[in-house]
Amino acid sequence: MACQSVDVAEGKCHTGLHLEMNRDRIYMDYNATTPLDPEVIQAISTALEEAWGNPSSNYVAGVKAKAIINQARENVARMVGGKAEDIIFTSGGTEANNLVLHTALEHFRRSCRTTEGEERERKCQNGSVGIPHIITSNVEHDSVKLVAQQLQRDGKADVTFVPVSKVTARVEVEDVLAAVRPSTCLISIMLANNETGVIMPVQEICMRVQLLNKRRKQPRILLHTDAAQALGKIPVDACELGVDYLTIVGHKFYAPRIGALYTNSPGTKTPLYPMLFGGGQERNFRPGTENTPMIAGLGKAAELVTSNLSDYEHGMLSIRSYLEEQLKAAFKERVHFNSHFPGSDVLPNTCNVSILGPRLPGWKVLSSCKRLLASVGAACHSDSGNRPSHILLNCGVPSEVAANALRLSVGRGTTKADVDAVVEDLKVTVKLLEETD
């Protein structure tokens, strides 16, 4: 199952990660989740065996656990261009995103109370300043979108869901700036979309908002990006981006299902208010006895990204390009790439494609394929029935095209032979569906 270190572009894997559910199935849903890298599995196993102690204790197994956690924190920080003290371990990306939105509202509330004394608090309460306002996009992950919607329903925040351009599928900087109000406390824009792979102009948004913050009275607008889909695929540097917060999700880059939140100097330069209270772990920002083995796995995966990102990126881009070439050769004018938008960069591994035809809805094609394992969109929307992806519709993809969408996301170990087999599988499936329906 594992293969040795050779050239991915030539159709051979160099990571030991050629995933096979069995020898007849080919996995192309790496944007949903990735397998564990063998070195990550080893790091987890070592922690399970040798660092089972409570990290807050002074005996050998606990001291070993603390050392592993400290090293993992250094590795994760290095991956995103931060400092070790900027990293707060969480259960996953959903918790990290919720923590950011919770913090933004709490920071606004406290600023109303303290910045200009009682008079400002009264203005906040009577609406002169208004309730806190959040800006996000209409293509965010549910762990941002649904939280924002719930806050709005509860009357705790106003939310503007800035629509992405139907030309570029990106959130446009000027649209974000136009949505800013005196009560805006947070702007949260994902770094790369999980369905289209489109990379958002987060750095430019942050630069413009930082200039705006210099002219505003408190509270300043906090800046957050969910980098779940970008990490391990493209360079991500929180300092270069200019964000206050950056969400890290392990199972998108060959780590276990655990996450972290980068916060630029939490509690000093950048506010961070806990949602949980307990034993004081993670400097009280996220208490609870640390999950040492999973943190060890996250740290090892981050180390691998830092060391090998260029190889990962170029390898996946080569395979994705080959996949798109083979799809065009197989289906010619019937193929429509929902991940191609003028002027927009796309993740190197993501190909969102529709094979046009009234009998070829994406869910039906995938359920009829003998070898391909993929999805029609985000895994968290798998219970939404057979409706076209709202992400694609928001990006301007026509409904009849979006209905046929397949999200094919390749991984580090995907080979040209895999691509050839998948395209042949799709050809056979399309022919069968069109003949029998």
Side-chain angles (χ1 to χ4, degrees):
M1 181 171 168
C3 50
Q4 301 304 313
S5 179
V6 287
D7 189 2
V8 171
E10 291 303 315
K12 304 173 184 178
C13 82
H14 69 150
T15 62
L17 293 170
H18 186 84
L19 179 70
E20 297 175 288
M21 305 302 289
N22 57 57
R23 293 191 179 277
D24 293 326
R25 305 310 296 263
I26 297 169
Y27 184 75
M28 283 195 181
D29 205 16
Y30 289 87
N31 283 6
T33 201
T34 55
L36 297 182
D37 186 286
E39 291 189 50
V40 171
I41 294 173
Q42 183 58 54
I44 293 170
S45 298
T46 299
L48 284 167
E49 292 174 1
E50 301 177 9
W52 50 265
N54 190 312
S56 299
S57 62
N58 293 322
Y59 41 80
V60 173
V63 172
K64 177 78 169 178
K66 178 61 73 174
I68 286 174
I69 291 168
N70 289 341
Q71 184 60 60
R73 201 183 307 276
E74 291 277 357
N75 290 346
V76 174
R78 192 174 300 114
M79 177 179 68
V80 298
K83 309 178 296 296
E85 56 266 31
D86 296 334
I87 301 301
I88 309 297
F89 292 117
T90 67
S91 62
T94 293
E95 183 187 341
N97 286 342
N98 274 257
L99 183 55
V100 170
L101 272 74
H102 164 78
T103 288
L105 266 60
E106 180 65 13
H107 182 60
F108 181 90
R109 186 182 69 80
R110 295 188 185 201
S111 296
C112 283
R113 187 171 64 228
T114 61
T115 304
E116 297 177 11
E118 295 181 1
E119 177 62 25
R120 180 167 177 84
E121 184 174 14
R122 282 196 295 272
K123 288 181 179 178
C124 285
Q125 292 172 346
N126 68 25
S128 297
V129 174
I131 63 173
H133 174 237
I134 296 168
I135 298 172
T136 187
S137 81
N138 68 344
V139 296
E140 296 295 316
H141 188 271
D142 277 355
S143 58
V144 170
K145 171 190 169 184
L146 296 183
V147 182
Q149 288 177 338
Q150 187 63 46
L151 291 170
Q152 194 166 35
R153 279 194 296 269
D154 291 345
K156 295 178 180 178
D158 281 337
V159 183
T160 299
F161 292 94
V162 176
V164 295
S165 163
K166 293 186 183 298
V167 176
T168 65
R170 304 192 327 165
V171 179
E172 299 300 339
V173 178
E174 296 302 331
D175 292 339
V176 172
L177 293 173
V180 171
R181 305 175 189 173
S183 58
T184 301
C185 63
L186 176 71
I187 296 174
S188 177
I189 303 294
M190 62 181 9
L191 190 51
N193 186 262
N194 50 321
E195 293 194 28
T196 64
V198 168
I199 299 169
M200 302 295 174
V202 171
Q203 183 177 28
E204 188 178 351
I205 290 169
C206 290
M207 288 175 58
R208 297 285 296 276
V209 173
Q210 286 166 356
L211 292 174
L212 184 61
N213 272 333
K214 291 178 180 178
R215 303 194 299 268
R216 282 169 55 100
K217 294 182 179 180
Q218 291 288 340
R220 68 185 173 95
I221 301 171
L222 300 169
L223 296 160
H224 167 242
T225 191
D226 180 347
Q229 288 297 336
L231 288 166
K233 300 168 188 171
I234 59 174
V236 176
D237 188 306
C239 293
E240 288 184 5
L241 289 171
V243 293
D244 298 301
Y245 311 97
L246 184 143
T247 295
I248 298 160
V249 181
H251 74 100
K252 306 297 187 180
F253 58 96
Y254 295 78
R257 289 185 175 91
I258 187 173
L261 179 66
Y262 161 90
T263 304
N264 185 9
S265 301
T268 54
K269 185 181 293 185
T270 305
L272 190 64
Y273 299 109
M275 294 190 298
L276 304 175
F277 297 88
Q281 295 87 353
E282 295 299 293
R283 290 157 286 159
N284 279 313
F285 295 122
R286 203 289 185 184
T289 303
E290 300 91 336
N291 190 343
T292 305
M294 297 304 102
I295 291 173
L298 185 69
K300 174 54 70 172
E303 179 186 344
L304 293 171
V305 168
T306 300
S307 300
N308 303 304
L309 179 61
S310 180
D311 289 341
Y312 295 160
E313 183 178 8
H314 292 141
M316 288 186 287
L317 178 58
S318 174
I319 293 298
R320 189 205 75 197
S321 297
Y322 181 72
L323 171 62
E324 293 183 347
E325 290 168 3
Q326 296 306 109
L327 287 168
K328 284 188 284 189
F331 298 104
K332 300 186 170 52
E333 71 281 354
R334 298 184 64 191
V335 70
H336 182 278
F337 292 108
N338 307 311
S339 45
H340 290 187
F341 295 91
S344 292
D345 293 326
V346 179
L347 292 173
N349 80 315
T350 305
C351 169
N352 195 306
V353 62
S354 295
I355 302 168
L356 304 180
R359 300 174 182 175
L360 303 174
W363 66 269
K364 195 168 190 178
V365 171
L366 288 177
S367 64
S368 303
C369 282
K370 302 299 183 186
R371 305 196 66 185
L372 172 62
L373 296 171
S375 64
V376 296
C380 54
H381 297 150
S382 61
D383 60 351
S384 61
N386 302 326
R387 299 187 300 275
S389 162
H390 76 276
I391 299 292
L392 296 183
L393 297 177
N394 286 343
C395 292
V397 178
S399 178
E400 66 275 12
V401 177
N404 288 22
L406 311 172
R407 184 185 67 175
L408 307 180
S409 47
V410 304
R412 298 173 189 172
T414 308
T415 67
K416 287 185 175 180
D418 291 333
V419 169
D420 292 340
V422 162
V423 172
E424 183 61 30
D425 190 23
L426 286 169
K427 286 169 62 177
V428 170
T429 300
V430 166
K431 186 173 186 293
L432 179 67
L433 289 175
E434 293 190 321
E435 286 179 347
T436 59
D437 252 15

